[in-house]
Amino acid sequence: MVANAERAGRPPRPRERVVRPVCAVLPDGTPSYAPLGAVVREGEWVLCHLCGRFFRSVVAHLRTHGWDHLAYRAVFGLERTEPLEGNGTRELRASAMRQRRAHDPAVRAGCEIGQEWVRSGALTKAAAEAARGRVQPEQRRRKTLRTLAGISPRARAAGTRRHAEQRLRRVARHAAERLGFPDLGALVRDRVAAGASLAAISREAGLHKDWLNRHLSTVDHLVAAEVAAAAHRADARWAPALARLGFAGLPAYLTDRHAVRRHTVSAIAAETGLPRGAVESALARHGIDRTPHATSRSRRDGTAAAVAARFGFDDIAAYLSDRRAAGRSWQAIADECGRPQTWVRRRAGLST
């Protein structure tokens, strides 16, 4: 056979009597005579994974095994675009297809439809839809790993940052469009001019309250600079009071007084000598949630805890429950703890 092939000017088929080692075994016990995710070629011949023999076209040979090329590719980890034929066989098939395209109206019409799909992008979308959820073949995985190994860590980090920035810009655009603005910069300018803080704008846009504080400079650095300059001008009037009280910045002062010590807006205004409106604007500008009557509420809670502790209870609710269970009237309980009856009833309502 080899001599006949040589006389005919064709490359000889690789020797078939050589015992080839089994490269892998499939889960069902089927041996594979070629590595998974790879195609073994020798000149114009391609090795069959199933039997270890060489053929010009493994696709045509698979019928003898009762397989089709799609199942063969899926089982042995080959891409759908990987040729299973020698170059000569592929050229013969391509030449035959060119002849059919030139003379067969049905083939020509089908090719024109395909070209229209390519031009419109429908073919790309259809391919992406068909690949969604499909397991990546071993051959593709190895190619991806080889490609990634050739990319420097610096370039990979730059690509990651680029992808993250693109995602942030998409989120910003969608958030602005939901509120009727062409972009996030227009939304922020409009709301800041109305006195809203970045935290309030973030919540209105359906984002995390710190989203704009973290990402506005990435999405629109010009608007971020404008907002920062406006905040600096608004905070400048606080400088004398902050220096007198020993604070380096306005956010730290407001957090200490309002969130930690629970001072009211009026108390902060009296301490700093600024109007209530300036305090309220500063709280909103720096994203500090305003708590009405913070000092009064804290003092009220402390009084209730002191009353409960005086009679040996963990909290006011336990004290009132015990006295009511013993048949005491509201007036009797009020006389016992030294608080007005309305105070006692109100504590009971808060505890239920």
Side-chain angles (χ1 to χ4, degrees):
M1 180 183 67
V2 172
N4 293 337
E6 290 175 347
R7 284 195 298 270
R10 299 193 304 269
R13 182 197 297 250
R15 292 173 57 191
E16 297 182 2
R17 293 184 179 180
V18 176
V19 178
R20 301 187 180 280
V22 175
C23 295
V25 178
L26 301 181
D28 63 357
T30 302
S32 174
Y33 293 90
L36 299 180
V39 174
V40 177
R41 304 177 186 277
E42 289 191 17
E44 292 295 324
W45 304 88
V46 181
L47 181 69
C48 174
H49 287 69
L50 290 167
C51 62
R53 299 167 60 197
F54 281 91
F55 299 90
R56 292 180 184 276
S57 174
V58 171
V59 175
H61 160 71
L62 287 176
R63 289 193 295 269
T64 63
H65 296 293
W67 287 52
D68 60 51
H69 74 97
L70 292 178
Y72 181 84
R73 295 174 192 274
V75 168
F76 293 106
L78 304 177
E79 295 186 76
R80 296 194 176 191
T81 56
E82 177 66 30
L84 300 178
E85 300 171 327
N87 290 335
T89 303
R90 294 176 62 199
E91 290 174 1
L92 289 173
R93 291 185 183 277
S95 177
M97 178 55 69
R98 284 193 293 270
Q99 293 293 327
R100 293 185 61 189
R101 181 176 178 180
H103 300 95
D104 190 330
V107 173
R108 187 164 56 250
C111 291
E112 290 174 356
I113 293 174
Q115 290 176 347
E116 179 58 31
W117 276 41
V118 172
R119 285 192 294 267
S120 65
L123 184 62
T124 302
K125 293 180 180 178
E129 185 66 27
R132 183 174 293 123
R134 186 194 305 161
V135 177
Q136 191 178 55
E138 178 65 19
Q139 189 177 33
R140 169 56 60 183
R141 190 183 71 84
R142 291 180 182 179
K143 288 182 179 179
T144 302
L145 292 177
R146 285 197 299 270
T147 302
L148 291 176
I151 301 175
S152 68
R154 179 177 298 179
R156 196 178 305 174
T160 301
R161 285 194 299 272
R162 238 182 355 261
H163 176 75
E165 290 175 4
Q166 290 171 356
R167 180 182 177 279
L168 289 175
R169 289 189 172 90
R170 285 197 303 271
V171 171
R173 185 178 66 255
H174 294 157
E177 289 174 351
R178 283 196 300 271
L179 295 175
F181 289 87
D183 54 55
L184 189 68
L187 169 64
V188 172
R189 285 192 179 100
D190 179 82
R191 295 301 191 260
V192 168
S197 66
L198 292 181
I201 302 171
S202 296
R203 285 191 289 261
E204 181 186 8
L207 305 170
H208 186 273
K209 70 180 183 66
D210 295 329
W211 198 93
L212 282 174
N213 283 301
R214 294 175 181 174
H215 305 305
L216 181 58
S217 59
T218 300
V219 175
D220 194 328
H221 65 279
L222 294 177
V223 174
E226 293 176 14
V227 172
H232 180 74
R233 290 193 298 270
D235 290 351
R237 64 190 304 189
W238 290 77
L242 296 177
R244 173 169 50 84
L245 296 170
F247 285 88
L250 182 55
Y253 168 74
L254 293 175
T255 301
D256 175 78
R257 290 301 194 261
H258 193 64
V260 178
R261 300 194 182 187
R262 305 179 69 81
H263 287 189
T264 62
V265 170
S266 297
I268 296 173
E271 183 180 43
T272 58
L274 295 171
R276 285 177 53 92
V279 178
E280 293 170 350
S281 297
L283 289 171
R285 187 166 60 251
H286 292 285
I288 300 174
D289 293 331
R290 180 183 170 188
T291 305
H293 310 299
T295 305
S296 300
R297 183 177 295 124
S298 178
R299 187 165 56 247
R300 179 201 68 194
D301 295 341
T303 301
V307 169
R310 179 152 49 98
F311 293 98
F313 292 90
D314 293 334
D315 53 48
I316 194 66
Y319 165 71
L320 295 175
S321 297
D322 178 81
R323 293 304 188 259
R324 290 295 290 174
R328 297 280 188 92
S329 65
W330 293 117
Q331 186 59 56
I333 298 173
D335 293 341
E336 180 185 45
C337 66
R339 306 300 302 175
Q341 184 181 159
T342 54
W343 185 92
V344 175
R345 286 180 174 274
R346 195 176 300 118
R347 299 291 80 71
L350 292 173
S351 64
T352 55

